[in-house]
Amino acid sequence: MTPTKRVLICTNRTCRKQGSQKVLAAFQSLPIADVTIESSSCLGQCGNGPMVLILPEETWYSQVQPGEVKTVVERHLQGGIPVKGMLYRKFHPQ
């Protein structure tokens, strides 16, 4: 069975310095059926990280902290509703 969603967490230089490895670990500690969690190379948004990109809908989250991951999992990945206050404004103007 192919996963329906992919969560990419940038773990390249800048995001890694901003704590993306902890964000990746937080996502991995909350496994979700039909969702693949992946470490990613640069997503091209340096300085706004840690960056998280959810595919296929192309939902971008910026400056994600490990303590916020549970909210993204529960509200977005399980509930289907993006966490508005965490969305990356460049791609999701409010």
Side-chain angles (χ1 to χ4, degrees):
M1 184 170 168
T2 304
T4 57
K5 291 189 188 288
R6 290 173 60 210
V7 179
L8 304 180
I9 297 97
C10 176
T11 55
N12 207 37
R13 288 184 201 166
T14 305
C15 283
R16 187 173 56 241
K17 287 178 186 173
Q18 295 171 323
S20 65
Q21 288 294 122
K22 291 180 181 178
V23 173
L24 175 63
F27 271 105
Q28 291 172 331
S29 74
L30 300 167
I32 311 122
D34 295 327
V35 176
T36 301
I37 307 298
E38 301 176 38
S39 172
S40 170
S41 60
C42 185
L43 294 171
Q45 304 304 315
C46 298
N48 296 296
M51 294 300 299
V52 173
L53 172 59
I54 299 179
L55 299 172
E57 66 264 30
E58 295 188 23
T59 302
W60 291 79
Y61 291 102
S62 62
Q63 300 176 340
V64 178
Q65 298 304 306
E68 298 172 318
V69 168
K70 185 175 181 186
T71 301
V72 174
V73 168
E74 290 174 351
R75 289 181 48 197
H76 187 151
L77 298 174
Q78 294 174 327
I81 301 167
V83 184
K84 203 169 196 174
M86 293 176 61
L87 294 174
Y88 185 31
R89 295 182 194 274
K90 179 176 179 178
F91 296 114
H92 306 283
Q94 302 198 350

